[in-house]
Amino acid sequence: MVWLRRWTVAMLATVFLSTIPWPRPAHAATSRFFPQTGFSIDDPHFIDFFDRRGGLRTFGYPVSREFTFLGFPVQVFQRAVMQRYPDGHVQLLNLLDTGLFPYTQVNGAIFPGVDTQLTSTAPSVTSPGYSQAILAWIRKIAPDRWNGIPVAFHQTFVSTVSPRDAYPSGKVNPALLTGFDLEIWGVPTSRPAFDPHNSKFVYQRFQRGILHYDKTTGTTQGILLADYFKDILMGENLPNDLLSEARSSRFFGQYNPLKPGWVDRPNDLPNTDLTRAFEPSPIIVLDAGHGGKEIGASYTFPDHTTLTEKDLNLAVTTRTAAILRQAGFTVIQTRTTDSWVDAKMLDVDGDGKVDLADDLQSRIDIANNAHATLFLSIHFNGDDNPNLRGTTVYYNNDRSFARRSQYFATLLDRETVAALRRLGYADVDRGVQIDSQAVGTGNHFYLLGLHPKRPSQMPAALVEGLFLTNPSDAQVLRNPLTLDALAGAYARAIEAYYGR
Ligand SMILES: [Zn+2]
């Protein structure tokens, strides 16, 4: 019975709105890009809905691409998830229903849960005069004054979609406006309630959002929750309280590029394709390892010419950047000259001394400050054992985005080995390895790990293209065609990561 009631309430707004004529998109809307999050709204129906229901104020920024979720095309925004039906009309997911996001503890806040006794008192969808009755019920359940406090919940609800939003041409149908508000929020699923930890906060739960009154500022606003649903799907960035509630959810940690359709457990999430759903518009940072006094590995040939790793790294990085820029990617290089990245020798990590860690921190800072979406550090290998040869791609398996880093490393390995084979250089694949295999159990490359004062914030890999300390590898690296081949391989791996 409880399930039936819940489902009935979930359907209310849907039925109500099916009586409203759906306006067709007025013009062929063009894609809109939001650099704030790196995502765009491309579908004309989503653009139209965004515009006519209050835009950024109502939805926040897009935080996903369009993808298929439980059989429907959807797009996640900071505050809501848009869903498109085959006839083109758009609705919001009932995000806060028990099936999707039943949680009450988010980042220190404690929200009321779904009150099924309350929702069972909502007017029946099939009753005559339903559309008036449901609005009257909402007026009663979502008050403007509660316990003597001016929570303004009803006022906030009914002013969600303004006449100007819904009717940009000016001809307003006031009877429908509240229907649009209902479309955004759904119906209340709890009564107002204090945060048990903070009596200055009052919340009211709706099907698609939570209204929040803050006594310290006297303001009432909706809480951004769809962003957290994305974090649940990704299994990343979750505050500890929500993490412990959501860990057993069928949606938790599903975003996995190592699986078909990027869905980790498809039995839990049928008719869903998460491929690149949460990959923002690419900003690539290419890092040429070493530089200046840090020469890295080196090899001196019998004719006394010497190849140094720092030079090869820069040569390959510069070529890779050129290929990617030609293909339309935004590319940032940590260095373009033979110097430290921390060229001014500043104590950027603030530990009281200037050392290699400052140079590495500077590289990470460049990537973080650019909001890079992918980081590739380009190196060549060196070892005391001159017999070691071949390519290795490292990633850190101990970061929240490790699966994406592993996927990137796998693409790099595949493309690098294929490119060297085409040059006639076979049997060199040392494969994808976790960085602990190079630096010891429990340790990670400084550049990829959590040890720096400001760790990197994006999927990353470190590629070691052949051993400079092996005579035959060094000979191959003397040929500029090898550097071209490696640059082409790294660029192709990055293109493949973004499905190009
Ligand atoms: Zn190196």
Side-chain angles (χ1 to χ4, degrees), residues 289-290 295-297 309-310 313 378-382 462-464:
H290 313 284
I295 68 162
E309 187 197 341
K310 64 172 184 175
N313 293 343
I378 293 173
H379 288 251
F380 289 88
N381 226 330
L462 186 150
V463 63
E464 301 271 14

Side-chain angles (χ1 to χ4, degrees), residues 199-356:
S199 61
K200 291 185 165 47
F201 290 169
V202 182
Y203 303 116
Q204 184 159 24
R205 190 181 189 100
F206 284 66
Q207 288 177 292
R208 299 170 202 141
I210 288 172
L211 284 179
H212 171 209
Y213 170 76
D214 181 351
K215 196 178 175 184
T216 48
T217 58
T219 53
T220 304
Q221 53 189 347
I223 290 180
L224 305 168
L225 283 172
D227 226 358
Y228 286 114
F229 187 63
K230 165 187 168 175
D231 294 340
I232 290 172
L233 280 169
M234 296 184 80
E236 296 181 18
N237 306 320
L238 286 165
N240 282 330
D241 49 4
L242 182 57
L243 176 64
S244 63
E245 283 188 294
R247 204 189 282 277
S248 58
S249 156
R250 68 174 174 131
F251 302 111
F252 181 77
Q254 284 280 16
Y255 190 58
N256 185 355
L258 303 168
K259 297 287 183 68
W262 294 41
V263 176
D264 190 58
R265 304 177 310 279
N267 289 342
D268 283 349
L269 208 51
N271 304 313
T272 297
D273 186 345
L274 297 177
T275 305
R276 299 184 187 86
F278 305 122
E279 299 307 310
S281 177
I283 299 171
I284 312 298
V285 168
L286 298 178
D287 173 50
H290 313 284
K293 67 178 181 180
E294 295 286 335
I295 68 162
S298 66
Y299 187 82
T300 302
F301 294 94
D303 65 6
H304 302 296
T305 56
T306 296
L307 283 183
T308 59
E309 187 197 341
K310 64 172 184 175
D311 294 337
L312 295 187
N313 293 343
L314 184 57
V316 173
T317 301
T318 304
R319 289 171 209 213
T320 308
I323 296 167
L324 287 171
R325 287 186 183 120
Q326 187 72 34
F329 282 85
T330 300
V331 181
I332 293 157
Q333 293 168 252
T334 55
R335 68 177 176 98
T336 54
T337 59
D338 176 19
S339 69
W340 262 30
V341 174
D342 183 20
K344 293 179 181 154
M345 307 291 281
L346 301 174
D347 177 20
V348 296
D349 64 4
D351 65 355
K353 55 181 192 284
V354 175
D355 56 12
L356 185 57

Side-chain angles (χ1 to χ4, degrees), residues 116 128 161 191 214 307 342 348 442 447 466 470 494:
T116 50
V161 179
R191 294 188 184 278
D214 181 351
L307 283 183
D342 183 20
V348 296
L447 206 54
L466 301 178
N470 173 270
I494 289 165

